[in-house]
């Protein structure tokens, strides 16, 4: 359907669902056909704000009434599988937010449904469109860095996220929310699947605030090619931190080293009476993920969504797939098992 309009529906109109909405409204080959959310009040407000005439509180009704080519799923993690399978059975291509699901069985069912029905199942690993991360991947693939020996990868948030931004944080974890991205990016950079996972978690700060979830995970990954990675994920950094997100990566190879610091690179730094309190008035605001310029949503977060539209339009396979999400869930569950047992978990295919 090259050069034709791709009709899209968005399911889940929360913080990141709105990112999908704006991306589709901006892409010249996309038509935002309908919205779906269980919260009718939020749904109606979003429909009015974005000028979307069709909106539904029931996914079955939307899939039955709307002729869609693709669907974005930005619901809570536990609702990904059901919506994905229903969309696949209707022959609709699917872009689903991370993590793909919350169990191996769900991931496998989602992948099977997409294959049986001949539709794309793309996971929104948008860091693969993150310029510094992409340049690191490209440098590794060219051989310029030599053999990758070690990766240190940190992706953390301030305590604002689990206490104020995400009302469902107690039903999730920083491993699912941030660790999923960090683990996928690390594996993508190295280009192999880990063979062993060892993980520790720290807890107490959020639980003492009445939010039943861990504060931090530290994950050690071993790879068959001899590479090692340490992945650090926390969402209890001080509210006064200069940036909502703390994202850093160090990659050591046999021929060189790469340093990545997208959140503290000081492309823009602001110090006023407001900034000591931190986000949403951070002194180092986001310049790369999802900045808004002249009312237009920019940043690499929309590029992965654009990619989904263009793959449907051009009949090209997306750069991420359900199998990436399945591996990611295997790693997350292995990390949780390691936390419980206190010993490394050996991975087998």
């Amino acid at each position: 359907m090259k050069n034709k309009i791709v009709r899209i529906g968005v399911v889940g109109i929360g913080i990141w669902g709105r990112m999908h909405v704006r991306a589709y409204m901006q892409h010249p080959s996309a038509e935002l056909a309908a919205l779906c959310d269980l919260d009718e009040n939020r749904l109606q407000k979003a429909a009015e704000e974005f000028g979307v005439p069709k909106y539904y509180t029931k996914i079955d009704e939307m899939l039955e009434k709307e002729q869609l080519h693709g669907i974005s799923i930005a619901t809570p993690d536990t609702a990904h599988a059901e919506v994905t399978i229903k969309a696949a059975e209707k022959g609709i291509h699917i872009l689903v937010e991370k993590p793909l699901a919350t169990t191996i069985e769900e991931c496998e069912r989602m992948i099977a449904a997409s294959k049986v029905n001949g539709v794309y199942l793309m996971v929104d690993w948008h860091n693969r469109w993150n310029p510094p991360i992409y340049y690191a991947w490209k440098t590794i693939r060219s051989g310029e860095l030599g053999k990758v020996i070690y990766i240190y990868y940190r992706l953390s948030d301030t305590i604002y996220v689990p206490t104020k931004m995400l009302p469902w944080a107690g039903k999730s974890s920083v491993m699912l929310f941030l660790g999923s991205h960090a683990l996928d990016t690390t594996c993508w950079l190295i280009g192999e699947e880990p063979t062993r996972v060892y993980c520790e978690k720290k807890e107490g700060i959020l639980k003492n605030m009445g939010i039943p979830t861990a504060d931090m995970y530290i994950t050690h990954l071993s790879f068959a090619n001899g590479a090692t990675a340490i992945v650090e994920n926390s969402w209890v950094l001080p509210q006064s931190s200069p940036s909502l997100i703390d994202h850093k990566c160090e990659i050591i190879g046999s021929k060189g080293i790469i340093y990545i610091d997208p959140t503290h690179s000081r492309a823009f730094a602001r110090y006023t009476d407001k900034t000591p309190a931190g986000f949403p008035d951070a002194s180092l605001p986001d310049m790369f993920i999802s900045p808004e310029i002249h009312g237009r949503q920019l940043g690499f977060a929309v590029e992965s969504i654009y990619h989904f539209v263009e793959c449907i339009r051009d009949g090209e396979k997306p750069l991420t797939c359900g199998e990436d999400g399945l591996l990611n869930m295997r790693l997350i569950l292995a990390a949780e098992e390691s936390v419980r047992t206190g010993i490394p978990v050996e991975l087998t295919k």
Side-chain angles (χ1 to χ4, degrees):
M1 56 183 298
K2 193 173 180 67
N3 298 324
K4 293 186 179 180
I5 296 299
V6 179
R7 286 176 53 82
I8 301 285
V10 176
V11 185
I13 317 299
I15 295 171
W16 212 253
R18 291 171 63 89
M19 175 71 64
H20 287 251
V21 168
R22 298 193 71 180
Y24 293 128
M25 291 183 68
Q26 292 175 175
H27 198 287
S29 294
E31 176 189 346
L32 182 59
L35 306 178
C36 183
D37 196 287
L38 293 176
D39 187 326
E40 188 169 3
N41 183 53
R42 178 169 63 184
L43 181 63
Q44 289 180 340
K45 288 182 178 179
E48 292 175 5
E49 177 184 352
F50 295 111
V52 182
K54 303 289 186 67
Y55 53 93
Y56 304 87
T57 56
K58 296 179 180 179
I59 184 61
D60 291 329
E61 186 178 2
M62 187 180 85
L63 294 177
E64 186 65 34
K65 291 185 176 181
E66 300 297 329
Q67 298 298 312
L68 302 175
H69 299 116
I71 189 171
S72 269
I73 301 173
T75 63
D77 306 339
T78 54
H80 290 179
E82 179 184 2
V83 180
T84 294
I85 292 168
K86 287 181 176 181
E89 290 173 345
K90 291 286 187 180
I92 298 170
H93 300 292
I94 303 132
L95 172 60
V96 61
E97 275 303 325
K98 54 77 196 169
L100 179 60
T102 54
T103 69
I104 297 296
E105 186 269 341
E106 284 181 336
C107 292
E108 290 176 337
R109 287 174 54 220
M110 295 161 77
I111 292 169
S114 67
K115 289 184 175 179
V116 166
N117 293 282
V119 298
Y120 300 142
L121 175 56
M122 176 180 165
V123 185
D124 190 17
W125 300 123
H126 52 246
N127 266 310
R128 300 194 189 191
W129 282 263
N130 183 338
I133 297 295
Y134 171 76
Y135 270 80
W137 177 85
K138 187 177 179 182
T139 301
I140 293 169
R141 292 300 169 278
S142 72
E144 182 181 350
L145 199 66
K147 179 183 177 181
V148 174
I149 300 169
Y150 174 74
I151 289 182
Y152 169 69
Y153 195 99
R154 179 163 83 232
L155 182 60
S156 295
D157 281 341
T158 71
I159 202 166
Y160 179 93
V161 172
T163 59
K164 298 178 182 179
M165 182 181 289
L166 304 179
W168 41 265
K171 298 179 181 180
S172 185
S173 71
V174 69
M175 176 61 82
L176 290 169
F177 188 67
L178 296 178
S180 54
H181 270 307
L183 291 171
D184 174 75
T185 306
T186 300
C187 292
W188 186 59
L189 288 169
I190 292 178
E192 289 198 12
E193 297 184 10
T195 57
R196 181 164 49 171
V197 177
Y198 175 71
C199 185
E200 294 183 65
K201 76 176 179 181
K202 306 296 180 181
E203 54 189 2
I205 297 174
L206 291 171
K207 286 188 175 181
N208 289 337
M209 299 174 70
I211 303 173
T213 191
D215 302 329
M216 180 179 188
Y217 286 78
I218 303 170
T219 308
H220 182 290
L221 303 173
S222 299
F223 295 82
N225 66 354
T228 298
I230 300 295
V231 177
E232 177 184 321
N233 303 114
S234 165
W235 54 4
V236 291
L237 302 182
Q239 168 66 25
S240 58
S241 294
S243 175
L244 177 71
I245 300 169
D246 184 9
H247 188 187
K248 289 188 178 181
C249 180
E250 177 181 301
I251 308 168
I252 300 176
S254 60
K255 296 181 180 179
I257 189 167
I258 293 173
Y259 296 105
I260 299 174
D261 184 3
T263 52
H264 296 85
S265 59
R266 297 185 178 273
F268 176 87
R270 171 183 58 202
Y271 299 93
T272 69
D273 291 342
K274 291 183 177 181
T275 55
F279 186 86
D281 295 302
S283 55
L284 302 179
D286 167 38
M287 292 285 108
F288 305 108
I289 305 172
S290 55
E292 182 180 314
I293 309 296
H294 299 304
R296 184 175 177 82
Q297 189 66 66
L298 300 181
F300 65 81
V302 298
E303 292 298 330
S304 56
I305 303 171
Y306 291 165
H307 176 70
F308 178 61
V309 172
E310 290 156 9
C311 284
I312 297 175
R313 183 195 65 194
D314 301 339
E316 297 181 355
K317 185 178 179 180
L319 294 177
T320 73
C321 62
E323 284 78 7
D324 297 325
L326 175 59
L327 170 62
N328 193 257
M329 184 47 53
R330 288 177 59 220
L331 296 180
I332 290 172
L333 294 177
E336 292 288 5
E337 181 181 347
S338 178
V339 166
R340 288 192 300 271
T341 62
I343 59 176
V345 174
E346 304 291 335
L347 297 175
T348 58
K349 292 189 178 182

